[in-house]
Amino acid sequence: MQSSFRQQLLSVAPALLLLLQPTAMDAQAKAARTKTAFSTKPAVPAPKTTMNAWTVGLAGGLLEGAPIRLAAEIARVVDDGDNLHVVPVVTRGAAENVNSLLYLRGIDAAIINADVLDEYKRQVPDVQHRLAYVLNLFPSELHVFVRPEIQSLNDLVGKKVNFNNQGTAAAYSGPLIFSRLGLDVEQTFIPHQVALEQMRKGDMSAVVFITSKPVEAFVRGRWDPGFKFLPVPYESKLEDYYLPASLDSSDYPNLIHEGARVDTVAVPTALVAFNWSTSSQRYQRVARFVDHLFSSIDKLQGPGFDPKWKSINLGATVPGLARFPAAQNWLDNHARSMQVSQ
């Protein structure tokens, strides 16, 4: 009987040993818990996460235009590694950057011409609530360059006038200004380099540039006597979106006599942002961008950047739009700081 009991005990012993031993899975889980408990290295975020967390898309415009150059200069001074990365984006032009800001994924801010809002008020009735301005940039002057036989704006009626490629400031604002002044011309939209050559041959009466002066084509170009800029009067019908401006001999010594001045108008250029909810991550990105930009204006006003940054007034307003809240907060806080320091 004892022998039978011993045999039964021996037969069940292997099963009991298996039950008492930890499984391989249990051992792995225990090892993982131990490794986690004693690990001192924090988890490193993936590059995809760090690169996108504080990246701001800035719509600039056409590659040959002034706005994309401004966007590139802004991106250079505000760059802060993973803390802030601004990506200037080449678009169809400053006149269409509102479209990019409203509908293009990844775009948080854009450089636009102020008069483009007039059209969008009809297309997007609440556009003034969907956009907010960050900074009023410097204006883009209207250049109406004509052949010798053209003596006044009225002489252009019915004649060929080029407004540059579609999407440029000239292609949008130029015809709009001409329409407001009652100038019915034959509009063309070809590259200005081509149009200027046609002017030399007499196949084009005028070209219209809208960009920050001086324009290199007029500084470096050599023109026969009589080629000139026409004055453009600043009338009441232009007061809603435009500013009085002038061109002088310091801008174009080869075309304007020393001490002379040609009156014209300018289109204000503004840096605007989508009016994100203040609780959103996109708002926080733009708010950080605003802080870096406003704090770096002195760098933009130094050597190596467009000289017009020196004329920037952070407090200047943009007609028809409210200021981006973070920009207003920055101005308010720094105004208080200056008062306390005094």
Coordinates of all heavy atoms in Angstrom, one line a residue, residues 5 13 30 34 39 43 50 72 87 125 155 184 188 201 208 248 284 307-308 335 340:
F5 N 1.1 4.3 -2.8 CA 1.0 5.8 -2.6 C 2.2 6.5 -3.1 O 2.1 7.6 -3.6 CB 0.8 5.9 -1.0 CG 0.8 7.4 -0.6 CD1 -0.4 8.2 -0.8 CD2 1.9 8.0 -0.1 CE1 -0.4 9.5 -0.5 CE2 1.9 9.3 0.3 CZ 0.7 10.1 0.1
A13 N 4.1 14.6 -9.2 CA 5.1 15.6 -8.8 C 5.5 16.5 -10.0 O 5.6 17.7 -9.8 CB 6.4 14.8 -8.3
K30 N 8.0 40.4 -15.4 CA 8.7 40.9 -14.2 C 10.0 41.6 -14.5 O 10.3 42.7 -13.9 CB 9.0 39.6 -13.3 CG 9.7 40.0 -12.0 CD 9.9 38.8 -11.1 CE 10.6 39.2 -9.8 NZ 10.8 38.0 -8.9
T34 N 10.8 45.5 -13.7 CA 12.1 45.8 -12.9 C 12.9 46.9 -13.7 O 13.4 47.8 -13.2 CB 12.9 44.6 -12.7 OG1 12.2 43.6 -12.0 CG2 14.2 44.9 -12.0
S39 N 14.9 52.3 -14.5 CA 15.4 53.1 -15.6 C 15.4 54.6 -15.3 O 14.4 55.1 -14.8 CB 14.6 52.8 -16.9 OG 15.0 53.6 -17.9
A43 N 11.8 59.0 -21.9 CA 11.4 58.6 -23.3 C 11.7 59.8 -24.2 O 11.4 60.9 -23.9 CB 9.9 58.2 -23.3
T50 N 8.6 66.1 -32.5 CA 9.3 67.4 -32.1 C 9.3 68.4 -33.2 O 9.2 69.6 -33.0 CB 10.7 67.0 -31.7 OG1 11.4 66.3 -32.7 CG2 10.8 66.2 -30.4
A72 N 11.2 84.8 -45.5 CA 12.4 84.2 -45.3 C 13.2 84.9 -44.2 O 13.9 84.2 -43.4 CB 13.2 84.1 -46.6
V87 N 8.3 77.9 -41.4 CA 8.5 77.4 -42.8 C 7.9 78.4 -43.8 O 6.7 78.5 -43.9 CB 8.0 76.0 -43.0 CG1 8.2 75.5 -44.4 CG2 8.6 75.0 -42.0
P125 N -18.1 86.3 -46.0 CA -18.6 87.4 -45.2 C -18.0 87.6 -43.8 O -17.9 88.7 -43.3 CB -20.1 87.1 -45.1 CG -20.4 86.2 -46.3 CD -19.1 85.4 -46.5
D155 N -3.6 109.2 -71.0 CA -3.0 108.8 -72.3 C -3.0 107.2 -72.4 O -2.8 106.7 -73.5 CB -1.6 109.3 -72.5 CG -1.6 110.8 -72.7 OD1 -2.7 111.4 -73.0 OD2 -0.5 111.4 -72.5
D184 N -9.6 102.8 -68.3 CA -10.0 101.6 -69.1 C -8.9 101.3 -70.0 O -8.8 101.9 -71.1 CB -11.3 101.8 -69.8 CG -11.8 100.6 -70.5 OD1 -11.2 99.5 -70.2 OD2 -12.7 100.6 -71.3
T188 N -2.8 93.3 -69.8 CA -2.1 92.1 -70.1 C -1.4 91.6 -68.8 O -1.1 92.4 -67.9 CB -1.0 92.3 -71.2 OG1 0.0 93.1 -70.7 CG2 -1.6 92.8 -72.5
K201 N 10.3 98.2 -77.8 CA 10.0 98.1 -79.2 C 8.8 98.8 -79.6 O 8.4 98.9 -80.7 CB 9.8 96.6 -79.5 CG 11.0 95.7 -79.3 CD 10.7 94.2 -79.5 CE 11.9 93.3 -79.2 NZ 11.5 91.9 -79.4
V208 N 3.1 98.1 -64.9 CA 2.7 98.5 -63.5 C 3.3 97.5 -62.5 O 3.0 96.3 -62.6 CB 1.2 98.5 -63.4 CG1 0.8 98.7 -61.9 CG2 0.5 99.5 -64.3
D248 N 11.6 109.0 -55.7 CA 12.5 110.1 -55.9 C 13.8 109.7 -56.4 O 14.0 108.5 -56.7 CB 12.6 111.0 -54.6 CG 13.2 110.1 -53.4 OD1 14.0 109.3 -53.7 OD2 12.7 110.3 -52.3
Q284 N -1.3 78.5 -29.8 CA -0.1 78.6 -29.0 C 1.1 78.7 -29.9 O 2.1 79.3 -29.5 CB 0.0 77.3 -28.1 CG -1.1 77.2 -27.0 CD -1.2 78.5 -26.2 OE1 -0.2 79.0 -25.7 NE2 -2.4 78.9 -25.9
P307 N 16.2 97.1 -45.6 CA 16.3 98.3 -44.9 C 15.0 98.8 -44.4 O 15.0 99.6 -43.4 CB 16.9 99.3 -45.9 CG 17.6 98.4 -46.9 CD 16.8 97.2 -47.0
K308 N 13.9 98.4 -45.0 CA 12.6 99.0 -44.6 C 12.2 98.4 -43.2 O 11.2 99.0 -42.6 CB 11.5 98.7 -45.6 CG 11.7 99.5 -46.8 CD 10.4 99.5 -47.6 CE 10.4 100.6 -48.7 NZ 9.2 100.7 -49.5
A335 N 4.5 97.6 -22.8 CA 4.1 99.0 -22.5 C 4.2 99.2 -21.0 O 4.7 100.2 -20.5 CB 2.8 99.4 -23.0
V340 N 7.0 100.8 -15.8 CA 7.6 100.5 -14.5 C 9.1 100.8 -14.5 O 9.6 101.3 -13.5 CB 7.4 98.9 -14.3 CG1 8.3 98.5 -13.1 CG2 6.0 98.6 -14.1

